[in-house]
Amino acid sequence: MTEAARVLALLAERGQTLAVAESLTGGLVAAELTGVPGASASFRGSVTAYATALKHELLDVDKNLLAERGAVDPEVASQMAAGVRARLGADWGLATTGVAGPDPQDGQPVGTVYVAVAGPAGGVSRTGSLEGIPVGSPTGKVVPLRLNGDRGEIRRESVRIVLELLREELSGNVRAQDTEQNGGN
């Protein structure tokens, strides 16, 4: 079973959906997911925001952040994942941004990649906020990568890792739900 198939199976078990925002992978994550029969049960769609301006226009990434740090940045990845999740009405959002080469970009060397996942709110009280996170805000995680290889290898490895990140998040959330439902044991 492929990583994409594992992720889609976990999402289907939970009755949840996924949306993807891609930059350096240019649609490869979506292609990997849609290559799995029955993907439409959980996969809502994707946005390939290759141009920096589209990250703001389509995914609501902060315009000032993009101007100050460029598109290859962990906070940009985080906002892309949250943005695609909101725009496409999904439970989970994934994002990839980085430099596949052959040339550096935004002062970042080839192989600099950030992958991100944004999921349903967790650990947030119903009446206020927790550590400054507003009620209903998605939780998220960003993983910085320094990948070696040619352009194709960097892009393929980015796809593999972002899907693995989501699988780990889904598996972790399943374990947390099981523990909660079983009285903490």
Side-chain angles (χ1 to χ4, degrees):
M1 180 181 281
T2 66
E3 196 67 40
R6 284 184 199 94
V7 162
L8 290 167
L10 285 168
L11 287 165
E13 285 173 19
R14 299 165 65 122
Q16 293 183 324
T17 57
L18 171 65
V20 178
E22 300 186 65
S23 185
L24 89 146
T25 50
L28 292 175
V29 177
E32 192 74 14
L33 290 163
T34 57
V36 176
S40 61
S42 298
F43 182 59
R44 298 226 3 113
S46 65
V47 173
T48 300
Y50 208 65
T52 299
L54 292 179
K55 291 171 180 62
H56 169 68
E57 294 165 12
L58 298 177
L59 300 170
D60 300 318
V61 175
D62 184 87
K63 189 182 342 181
N64 294 326
L65 173 67
L66 290 166
E68 291 170 15
R69 298 191 205 164
V72 183
D73 181 83
E75 182 60 26
V76 170
S78 177
Q79 289 186 23
M80 287 173 64
V84 79
R85 178 180 177 265
R87 285 285 179 139
L88 300 188
D91 297 298
W92 294 89
L94 291 181
T96 64
T97 189
V99 185
D103 299 316
Q105 177 186 339
D106 295 334
Q108 300 287 344
V110 173
T112 302
V113 176
Y114 297 97
V115 296
V117 60
V124 179
S125 73
R126 294 185 186 280
T127 57
S129 64
L130 178 68
E131 298 179 35
I133 302 170
V135 173
S137 291
T139 59
K141 184 175 187 178
V142 178
V143 176
L145 306 171
R146 296 292 180 263
L147 302 176
N148 295 314
D150 64 23
R151 183 175 176 81
E153 291 167 330
I154 291 168
R155 295 173 75 216
R156 284 189 298 276
E157 188 67 1
S158 298
V159 171
R160 185 188 68 76
I161 293 170
V162 77
L163 290 172
E164 188 175 273
L165 174 63
L166 178 58
R167 181 183 46 79
E168 290 170 359
E169 289 296 305
L170 289 167
S171 297
N173 283 343
V174 168
R175 283 191 296 274
Q177 286 177 351
D178 286 346
T179 300
E180 185 177 296
Q181 290 171 356
N182 292 321
N185 296 322

